[in-house]
Amino acid sequence: MAANSGRPAIGVDLGGTKIAAALISRTGRILDREHADTTAADGPGPVIDRVFAAIDAILARTGLRPSDTAGICVAEAGPIDMNAGVVTTSPNLPGWDAVPLRSIVKEKYAVPSFLINDAKAAAIGEYRFGAGRGAGNLLCVMLGTGIGVGIIINGHLYVGKSGAAGEAGHTTIDVHGPRCACGNVGCWELFASGTAVEKETSRRLASGQASSLTQLAATGITVTARHVAEAARNGDALALGVISWSAHYIGTGLVNLANTFNPEVMVIGGGLSKTGDLLLGPAAALVRQRAFPIVSQAVRIVPTTLGDDAGVLGAAAFAFRNGKL
Ligand SMILES: [Zn+2]
């Protein structure tokens, strides 16, 4: 073990649109990185080949053999059977059904291999190297295509019985709300994710509300949460309305999490968090208004400091700890 202590690890963030792989030192320095498009519609085989190609590119450039690393960890969205190392199903990766990704990686590279949910990886990343460094009780709330939460309790990652803890995006926030693809009703992520912002924006545009986004939508470009954030920053009333609508739901969910976990830090990451203060300000204010004072006074609500690198950094940290944290 001691002989391996200086070896870097490879962290991979396998997302629905992008694959990011990075070679990372024990102190959290990114030594080399590689990106690829996921092209998820191709299904598991070709996507796994692209993950391998990204890892191979890093190894080739740095002149390392797989055995020169401490291991490889892949972070992936959606519930993962952590005991078996299996992607059970993935909302962003069509066709992935019980894929034993951990053993597939291990067979290819013959190094310690690990598989972890992306929000859990981000939580480890923020805890070890980022905004939550040293905070033993930390939640990392990832507002992306969906919502995932990584939970650190007393310095340990909480994964639950089968590894699926943290799927807070699929807790009900509106009992009269629409049915979610997961089967539940009125799920948090139907109101507080990047996807929710995009859908609500389309709905308001279709109803004829004036907006600077109307022209963009008319050209056939898909209006993304990033466009909405930009329009909101420029004072567009429709965009500001959608962000404020979503901030209210984000805040409501954060109140639930704060009262449940009494965390020291809640790190807010994921694509939608890039909207910044316009979104996170009102959400944090709601926590201060509605959570128990003993809870709201204890918690810091902060944006991610690792940004898009939280996943690869946390995955590498998980490999350094031999899959235990
Ligand atoms: Zn759901």
Side-chain angles (χ1 to χ4, degrees), residues 188 191-192 197 241-254 272 277-284 286:
W188 189 26
F191 303 91
V197 163
V242 172
I243 295 298
S244 149
W245 168 85
S246 191
H248 186 79
Y249 283 104
I250 291 169
T252 306
L254 293 182
L272 185 59
D277 269 355
L278 269 180
L279 189 78
L280 303 185
L286 209 67

Side-chain angles (χ1 to χ4, degrees), residues 24-99:
I24 290 162
S25 78
R26 268 178 194 264
T27 55
R29 211 153 59 81
I30 293 181
L31 306 170
D32 192 26
R33 63 163 84 228
E34 183 75 17
H35 287 275
D37 288 330
T38 309
T39 323
D42 292 350
V47 170
I48 292 169
D49 285 344
R50 285 177 202 121
V51 169
F52 288 167
I55 294 170
D56 291 344
I58 288 173
L59 292 172
R61 249 192 326 263
T62 54
L64 295 177
R65 291 163 301 176
S67 59
D68 295 326
T69 72
I72 297 171
C73 178
V74 180
E76 195 274 326
I80 280 164
D81 184 335
M82 289 185 76
N83 299 324
V86 169
V87 178
T88 54
T89 173
S90 174
N92 303 318
L93 300 171
W96 288 61
D97 182 22
V99 176

